[in-house]
Amino acid sequence: MSSEQTPSGQHPKPPGDEKAKYADRSYRSPAAIASGVLLLALGLWLTADAVLRGSGRTPMAALAGFFFAAPLVIAFTLRPVVFAGEQRLRVRNPFRTIVVPWPSVELLRSGYSSEVFADGSKYQLFSIPVSIRARKSAQRHNQRANQRARSGRPAGRGVGGLGRDVATDGDMQEKRAASDTVMEELRELTRLHGEGGSQPAPEGPVTVRWAYEILVPMTLGAAGLLFFLAT
């Protein structure tokens, strides 16, 4: 999970700049980006091979399949991101973009998936995946740290003797899963800019826009692929 932050107030933002409205922080999954680039490269190589070496309808069917699969891969790997600015939360999911002003945020929940509740609706945060394994690992680490603290074994540096348990500073620090850390940052922004916060953002409706730049080429590719497979 990555977080990029640009401090506000350091550089003037030109009026009408769309990015300036959101700014500040963005959250996306580096693993998803890496897998998306790998899948696109593999798909492009297979498609190029089919076009150059195939015969009959194979080249056209391969192109149609690529134009169907590529938007789908982009939708679930490269596209998802959460932007958290001073005025609103912008959630870019595979097929929709949801803009939620901070006063409209009712709840940010991280169970088996990361979700935001606003205006009576629930929206999943695809770019903040929950890792149950990482969460359990952090819980085990914190339990060991608490046991060390209760038993009076403080953190130290150096090499212990045979069978001696020497705790380092890292062993004593509390850990959290990456998704839980990100969600806590978003909750803090909600408390700051939401209704009743010290720096409340302007109120406004929750808006949802379909990602036609993904849906249109995917639909055309699927139609072309079905045509070549059926005829």
Side-chain angles (χ1 to χ4, degrees), residues 34-121:
S35 61
V37 171
L38 181 62
L39 288 173
L40 287 175
L42 178 62
L44 187 61
W45 177 71
L46 292 174
T47 302
D49 183 71
V51 170
L52 295 176
R53 299 185 181 185
S55 59
R57 295 188 175 186
T58 300
M60 296 303 296
L63 285 174
F66 180 78
F67 280 107
F68 165 69
L72 199 60
V73 170
I74 293 173
F76 284 95
T77 59
L78 305 182
R79 175 178 163 80
V81 60
V82 170
F83 296 99
E86 295 180 356
Q87 296 186 352
R88 66 202 75 186
L89 183 71
R90 183 162 63 113
V91 182
R92 201 168 70 188
N93 281 340
F95 302 116
R96 298 190 300 177
T97 297
I98 304 100
V99 178
V100 185
W102 288 115
S104 298
V105 176
E106 300 168 355
L107 175 67
L108 284 160
R109 186 174 68 183
S110 181
Y112 292 103
S113 63
S114 300
E115 302 163 337
V116 58
F117 291 77
D119 285 355
S121 299

Side-chain angles (χ1 to χ4, degrees), residues 47-221:
T47 302
D49 183 71
V51 170
L52 295 176
R53 299 185 181 185
S55 59
R57 295 188 175 186
T58 300
M60 296 303 296
L63 285 174
F66 180 78
F67 280 107
F68 165 69
L72 199 60
V73 170
I74 293 173
F76 284 95
T77 59
L78 305 182
R79 175 178 163 80
V81 60
V82 170
F83 296 99
E86 295 180 356
Q87 296 186 352
R88 66 202 75 186
L89 183 71
R90 183 162 63 113
V91 182
R92 201 168 70 188
N93 281 340
F95 302 116
R96 298 190 300 177
T97 297
I98 304 100
V99 178
V100 185
W102 288 115
S104 298
V105 176
E106 300 168 355
L107 175 67
L108 284 160
R109 186 174 68 183
S110 181
Y112 292 103
S113 63
S114 300
E115 302 163 337
V116 58
F117 291 77
D119 285 355
S121 299
K122 178 179 70 174
Y123 306 100
Q124 188 173 349
L125 309 180
F126 275 82
S127 69
I128 309 177
V130 173
S131 172
I132 302 300
R133 180 180 179 182
R135 181 177 291 169
K136 290 182 177 180
S137 176
Q139 290 174 350
R140 289 194 297 268
H141 169 87
N142 295 336
Q143 289 174 355
R144 290 194 298 266
N146 291 334
Q147 291 174 356
R148 291 178 187 275
R150 288 196 299 267
S151 62
R153 288 181 290 175
R157 296 288 184 182
V159 180
L162 183 62
R164 182 182 174 188
D165 185 11
V166 178
T168 64
D169 291 336
D171 294 329
M172 302 300 291
Q173 293 178 353
E174 182 180 359
K175 288 186 178 180
R176 304 185 69 179
S179 59
D180 293 334
T181 300
V182 170
M183 293 299 287
E184 185 55 37
E185 290 181 11
L186 295 179
R187 292 188 188 100
E188 183 61 31
L189 289 173
T190 303
R191 290 189 287 267
L192 180 64
H193 300 299
E195 186 175 356
S198 58
Q199 300 177 21
E203 296 184 2
V206 176
T207 60
V208 179
R209 184 186 73 84
W210 288 96
Y212 294 106
E213 65 276 14
I214 296 291
L215 295 173
V216 171
M218 186 178 68
T219 302
L220 293 176

